[in-house]
Each structure stands twice: as structure tokens, then as C-alpha cells.
Amino acid sequence: MSTLTAVGNLARELDCDIFCAVVDNFGDIGVCWRLARQLQAGHGWRVRLFVDDLTVFHALCPEVDASLARQEASGVVIEHWHEPMHAGDTLDIADVVIEAFACEIPHTYIAAMARREREPVWINLEYLSGEDWVADFHMRPSPHPRYPLSKSFFFPGIGAGTGGVIKEHDLDARRQQFDANAWWSERVGIERPDAAKTVVSLFAYENPAVDALLAQWRDGSSPVVLLVPEGRISGAIARFFGVPKFAAGTSAKAGALEAHALGFVEQPRFDELLWAADINFVRGEDSFVRAQWAMKPFVWHIYPQADDAHLPKLDAALDHITQSLQAPARDAMRAFWHAWNGAGTPDWAAFWVHRRELEARAAQWAQELAAIGDLAGNLVAHVNTRIGS
Ligand code: TRH
């Protein structure tokens, strides 16, 4: 879908530059890459993505060649932002400039933005938070101290009045068409487990609570099939089963628990893991959002911040997601998420006894979340009001 916007007296597709510095993990580029593709494919923008770490990007998009200075993938131009002052081979300023997560865009680029005949729309894309203050700060302008430029703070969120979260237009259709049987044989190499088994996907940081949980699954009365994408928690899984490593292709069994390690897949295929499982353990920002769109119960391992700044965000998300649950289910979910994030020991049985209620709420919550509008759509609407379509 292409949206033409009136720029001056010309109707044309908008150019957009996104700057992304990878702090750690996959979330920074994960969010930027998803947004870039959606602005391009869903809104017809011409998008250029500056990324400082192409090796991490390659994991999400194997088509990306980490040795190239400039390339194109999925219709998006990708520039290796190889040093902080680099702003592409030619200093070409886009209509819309997005600096992701307060990364510092090159001074030469900012100076050229100020010289541009028509002021670009400058957006600082913030990290996602479910906290209430986000709606008050969303889209607040901040004038540049030296240049005649103003930057707006775009706050993704899960509450009304925020920028929302990314959702592709075809996501629900892809989920509904998902062929679970084919997925199990291709990705796991076994038949899809029957309904008596609970399928758990586990994407998490190192987590001291994992041993207790693995032991509960092993000793539990109903079978659990655990799917673990290779990553930061794999070492703990290997130690639990007494194997040297839990790399893709490894399977292990103990009591009622069987576990399978999966390779890291390109980003558009990550959702399939969430659709295949009955409950998803996710982390960070992007997988947290995807779990909500999967409409399954999930547990969030939030990205830990200094001084426990992440804990109010965890509680704010719980407030939204548990709203309208009955008190016993709400309390159990809150206790389980807290335990998974360092406060207490997780009690799987006390949590999963509410499975049916949690499933119903997950589907309902996805509808509520969709009602605040998707992030790319909200961003495009804002830009159009600024540029005047
Ligand atoms: O990797 P993360 O821990 O990223 C974090 C968060 O974004 C955090 O907010 C940020 O501050 C920190 O990085 C620097 O978790 P997240 O956000 O879920 O990103 C993981 C990405 O990896 C997501 O886009 C899904 C993707 N992924 C795949 O593409 N294939 C896979 O097989 C797996 C397991 C994940």
C-alpha cells in the first residue's frame, strides 16, 4: 500500500531515515527493522535505515551482509552506520528523520536538517512503557537549543493516548493461516504434541528462577514440551539436563518435561514459535509485543535497568493486561511475573490452574490493544498532520 503525501505542492511518497544504535541484544534493531519494513510496505515510504551493528542485524535478517556499507533488503535501504559522524555517502536529508531510543544522530546531518528548505519532521522514538505518564509526554515537541528545528518524542505504549505498538496489517491473517503441523515437523522434527501436553516457548535472559521452574515441570503431573531458542538461557537448560550445551537440534527429557532447542530464525518467522506454543516466555520489548498479538498467555522477562527502574514498567504492564481478570487469576499472574523477574519463586501449578481464564483474557487484551492504533499508523498520521497532506 502506498500513501502519497502532499509535500509543498507535490504529491509524493515520503522519504524517511531511521537511525539505530544497537545497545545490546536484538531489541533495538528488532524494533527498528520491523518499523522500517512496515513504513515501507504498509505506507509506501522510502526508508533508509542506519545501523551501527550489522552482525546483530544479520541474525534477524540473514539477507543482510555485514561487510557491505550500503545494501537493500525487503525494500529498505540499509546503511552501515560505521562511525558516529557517518551520515551516508551523500548528505541527503529525508522528509522524516527518526532517531531510535535517543541515539545521537550525526552533527553534520543535524546541521544539514537545519539548512533544508522544508524542515524535516524529527522524531525521537522512545522505548515502550505501559506507565500512565507516557500518554502525557507522547508527541511533546522539544526545540533544538541551536538550530531552528524541533524534535517530537514519540512514546510507544499499551494505553490510550500513546503511540501504540507495531502491528503489521497482515499479522492476524498470517496467524490464522499458520500450519502448526507443518511447523512442528520442519522446526522441531517431531509431530505436533497432542492437547494433553502443554507447549511452552522460552525466550529469556539468564534467570535464577529457571531451575525451580524446570524442576516443577519435570516433577509435575501433566507433560510439558519446552521449546528454547538458542540464546542467553540455553546454558541453564543444558546444566539442568546435564548436557554440554543446549544448541539447536538438541533434545532432552526428564520426568514429565521434554525440551527442544531451536535455532534463531529470521524475524518474520519468530511469531510462528509464539503461535505454536500454549504459553510464551518473552523478554525485552519486541518479543513482549509479539506475545500480545499471539493472543496466548505469556510471561514477560523485562529488560533489567539500573536501580530497578524496570519494576514500575512491569507493574504497569500487569495492570493493563490483567485488567478484568478475576482476583485469583490476576494475583497468580502478578505473583508469577514477579517471581520470573526476581521477586520470589515461581509456582507453576498456582499460575497455570488459571489457564482458561488467562487464554480468554489474552484474546480480549489483543483487541483492546489494537484499539489504540498501531505504531506505524499513528506515526504516519502525525507526520501527515505536520507535513500537511
Ligand atoms: O533482544 P532483547 O532482549 O532486546 C532488548 C530490549 O529491546 C530492551 O528493551 C532493550 O533495551 C535492549 O534490547 C537493548 O528482546 P526483544 O526486544 O524481544 O528483541 C528480540 C528480537 O529478536 C525480536 O525482534 C524477536 C527476534 N527474534 C528473532 O528474530 N528470531 C528468533 O529466533 C528469536 C528467538 C528472536
Side-chain angles (χ1 to χ4, degrees):
M1 189 176 80
S2 169
T3 323
L4 292 181
T5 298
V7 184
N9 47 13
L10 288 175
R12 65 170 175 82
E13 289 161 352
L14 290 180
D15 295 317
C16 173
D17 280 350
I18 303 176
F19 288 85
C20 173
V22 175
V23 179
D24 60 7
N25 301 311
F26 301 101
D28 304 298
I29 182 59
V31 171
C32 291
W33 177 227
R34 200 180 283 293
L35 178 62
R37 278 180 292 144
Q38 214 200 333
L39 291 173
Q40 191 279 330
H43 299 276
W45 285 15
R46 288 197 298 255
V47 183
R48 182 165 61 148
L49 178 56
F50 288 82
V51 187
D52 64 352
D53 188 335
L54 292 182
T55 308
V56 174
F57 196 175
H58 173 81
L60 299 183
C61 177
E63 207 184 320
V64 168
D65 180 342
S67 69
L68 295 180
R70 189 185 165 94
Q71 59 199 299
E72 197 174 317
S74 303
V76 173
V77 173
I78 296 159
E79 297 256 9
H80 187 192
W81 190 11
H82 49 76
E83 49 126 346
M85 291 310 290
H86 176 73
D89 293 338
T90 52
L91 199 54
D92 206 0
I93 306 302
D95 302 304
V96 184
V97 179
I98 301 176
E99 63 180 42
F101 314 127
C103 69
E104 259 192 65
I105 62 180
H107 295 301
T108 46
Y109 190 96
I110 297 176
M113 281 166 74
R115 291 195 302 270
R116 195 176 190 264
E117 193 186 339
R118 197 183 173 94
E119 184 186 340
V121 179
W122 185 2
I123 307 271
N124 178 13
L125 175 68
E126 288 287 343
Y127 283 112
L128 170 64
S129 170
E131 292 164 293
D132 287 343
W133 59 264
V134 162
D136 291 335
F137 284 82
H138 176 53
M139 261 13 285
R140 275 214 194 161
S142 160
H144 194 277
R146 280 184 293 130
Y147 294 116
L149 292 168
S150 176
K151 160 159 87 176
S152 299
F153 286 81
F154 190 100
F155 279 89
I158 56 174
T162 70
V165 292
I166 301 176
K167 184 181 188 193
E168 296 82 6
H169 299 307
D170 63 350
L171 181 62
D172 287 332
R174 286 203 300 122
R175 185 174 47 77
Q176 280 150 8
Q177 286 154 17
F178 172 58
D179 183 344
N181 294 325
W183 186 89
W184 277 93
S185 79
E186 184 209 331
R187 291 295 320 281
V188 198
I190 59 170
E191 267 185 31
R192 181 186 186 178
D194 61 45
K197 296 181 175 168
T198 302
V199 178
V200 181
S201 85
L202 184 65
F203 180 46
Y205 307 115
E206 297 82 356
N207 193 323
V210 76
D211 285 330
L213 197 52
L214 291 167
Q216 288 169 26
W217 286 331
R218 178 195 60 204
D219 303 335
S221 53
S222 50
V224 169
V225 179
L226 181 65
L227 302 175
V228 189
E230 270 182 320
R232 290 175 54 177
I233 199 142
S234 301
I237 310 292
R239 280 190 296 281
F240 179 83
F241 285 108
V243 294
K245 54 185 183 156
F246 210 64
T250 310
S251 295
K253 205 170 178 330
L257 173 65
E258 70 176 83
H260 305 273
L262 302 181
F264 200 92
V265 286
E266 58 187 313
Q267 196 189 41
R269 296 206 65 187
F270 173 66
D271 292 306
E272 297 169 357
L273 172 65
L274 309 177
W275 300 335
D278 297 311
I279 174 164
N280 296 299
F281 286 67
V282 287
R283 71 184 207 194
E285 177 162 329
D286 190 57
S287 57
F288 164 66
V289 171
R290 306 313 283 183
Q292 294 170 70
W293 296 136
M295 299 192 183
K296 302 278 180 74
F298 72 99
V299 182
W300 187 23
H301 195 177
I302 193 170
Y303 183 78
Q305 288 177 276
D307 301 326
D308 287 341
H310 56 288
L311 294 180
K313 290 187 191 171
L314 185 77
D315 280 332
L318 274 165
D319 288 346
H320 285 284
I321 296 163
T322 63
Q323 210 180 45
S324 84
L325 280 177
Q326 301 288 317
R330 191 177 59 230
D331 294 347
M333 182 162 161
R334 190 170 281 273
F336 196 86
W337 278 37
H338 280 179
W340 192 239
N341 286 279
T345 304
D347 184 339
W348 173 251
F351 171 60
W352 204 232
V353 71
H354 300 288
R355 173 178 181 170
R356 298 299 169 211
E357 200 180 335
L358 296 174
E359 285 171 344
R361 176 58 190 154
Q364 184 190 51
W365 167 244
Q367 305 299 331
E368 290 172 27
L369 185 58
I372 59 175
D374 76 284
L375 191 152
N378 288 336
L379 185 77
V380 168
H382 168 78
V383 167
N384 286 342
T385 59
R386 294 273 299 276
I387 286 186
S389 65

